[in-house]
Amino acid sequence: MKSNYIISLKSSGLCFNIMRLIILTEVAKKFNRGLIFLTKPAHIPVLKKFNKECIFLPYTAEHTNMFNNFTRNRSI
Protein backbone atom coordinates (compact mmCIF):
# COMPACT_ATOMS: atom_id res chain seq x y z
CA MET A 1 0.00 0.00 0.00
CA LYS A 2 1.71 3.21 -1.15
CA SER A 3 -0.69 5.74 0.40
CA ASN A 4 -0.32 7.04 3.93
CA TYR A 5 -4.09 7.41 4.27
CA ILE A 6 -7.24 5.39 4.07
CA ILE A 7 -10.02 7.52 2.59
CA SER A 8 -13.69 6.78 3.12
CA LEU A 9 -15.88 8.28 0.38
CA LYS A 10 -19.39 6.93 0.62
CA SER A 11 -21.61 8.92 2.94
CA SER A 12 -24.58 7.06 4.34
CA GLY A 13 -26.83 7.25 7.34
CA LEU A 14 -25.28 8.05 10.70
CA CYS A 15 -25.50 4.47 12.04
CA PHE A 16 -23.72 3.02 9.01
CA ASN A 17 -21.10 5.79 9.15
CA ILE A 18 -20.38 4.96 12.80
CA MET A 19 -19.89 1.27 11.96
CA ARG A 20 -17.69 2.11 8.98
CA LEU A 21 -15.63 4.56 11.05
CA ILE A 22 -15.01 1.97 13.77
CA ILE A 23 -13.93 -0.65 11.23
CA LEU A 24 -11.73 1.74 9.22
CA THR A 25 -10.14 3.08 12.41
CA GLU A 26 -8.96 -0.45 13.23
CA VAL A 27 -7.71 -1.01 9.68
CA ALA A 28 -5.84 2.32 9.72
CA LYS A 29 -4.17 1.42 13.04
CA LYS A 30 -3.24 -2.04 11.78
CA PHE A 31 -1.53 -0.65 8.68
CA ASN A 32 -0.20 2.52 10.36
CA ARG A 33 -2.26 4.86 8.17
CA GLY A 34 -4.19 8.06 8.73
CA LEU A 35 -7.92 8.11 8.08
CA ILE A 36 -9.81 10.70 6.04
CA PHE A 37 -13.58 10.44 6.30
CA LEU A 38 -15.94 12.39 4.04
CA THR A 39 -19.39 12.66 5.56
CA LYS A 40 -22.40 14.86 6.00
CA PRO A 41 -21.55 17.98 8.06
CA ALA A 42 -24.20 17.14 10.66
CA HIS A 43 -22.55 13.75 11.32
CA ILE A 44 -19.09 15.10 12.14
CA PRO A 45 -19.70 16.03 15.82
CA VAL A 46 -21.07 12.55 16.56
CA LEU A 47 -18.33 10.73 14.61
CA LYS A 48 -15.60 12.67 16.43
CA LYS A 49 -16.67 10.89 19.62
CA PHE A 50 -15.57 7.60 18.05
CA ASN A 51 -12.26 8.82 16.56
CA LYS A 52 -10.67 12.13 17.53
CA GLU A 53 -7.60 11.63 15.30
CA CYS A 54 -9.49 11.13 12.03
CA ILE A 55 -9.66 13.95 9.48
CA PHE A 56 -13.33 14.64 8.82
CA LEU A 57 -14.29 16.49 5.65
CA PRO A 58 -17.86 17.68 5.14
CA TYR A 59 -19.53 16.61 1.92
CA THR A 60 -20.30 19.33 -0.60
CA ALA A 61 -22.57 19.22 -3.64
CA GLU A 62 -19.49 18.55 -5.81
CA HIS A 63 -18.57 15.50 -3.73
CA THR A 64 -22.06 14.11 -4.16
CA ASN A 65 -21.79 14.50 -7.92
CA MET A 66 -18.31 12.93 -8.06
CA PHE A 67 -18.99 9.94 -5.83
CA ASN A 68 -22.66 9.24 -6.59
CA ASN A 69 -23.10 5.60 -7.65
CA PHE A 70 -25.26 6.50 -10.66
CA THR A 71 -22.64 8.98 -11.90
CA ARG A 72 -19.80 6.46 -11.45
CA ASN A 73 -21.69 3.71 -13.26
CA ARG A 74 -22.61 6.02 -16.12
CA SER A 75 -18.93 7.04 -16.50
CA ILE A 76 -17.79 3.43 -16.77
Side-chain angles (χ1 to χ4, degrees):
M1 188 183 283
K2 294 182 181 181
S3 174
N4 291 326
Y5 294 96
I6 295 174
I7 303 171
S8 173
L9 297 176
K10 185 175 182 331
S11 183
S12 301
L14 181 57
C15 291
F16 190 69
N17 279 343
I18 291 170
M19 289 188 303
R20 212 169 66 241
L21 177 64
I22 291 169
I23 292 166
L24 290 175
T25 297
E26 290 301 315
V27 171
K29 284 181 186 176
K30 181 178 178 180
F31 292 102
N32 195 28
R33 302 288 186 252
L35 179 58
I36 299 174
F37 205 91
L38 277 78
T39 188
K40 297 173 185 171
H43 293 179
I44 293 174
V46 176
L47 294 173
K48 281 186 176 182
K49 294 178 182 187
F50 292 90
N51 184 336
K52 292 178 179 26
E53 298 172 8
C54 180
I55 298 170
F56 293 100
L57 298 177
Y59 256 121
T60 64
E62 293 81 28
H63 290 134
T64 302
N65 291 335
M66 283 190 317
F67 304 124
N68 178 287
N69 192 35
F70 175 76
T71 305
R72 283 193 315 255
N73 289 340
R74 189 178 54 187
S75 298
I76 294 175

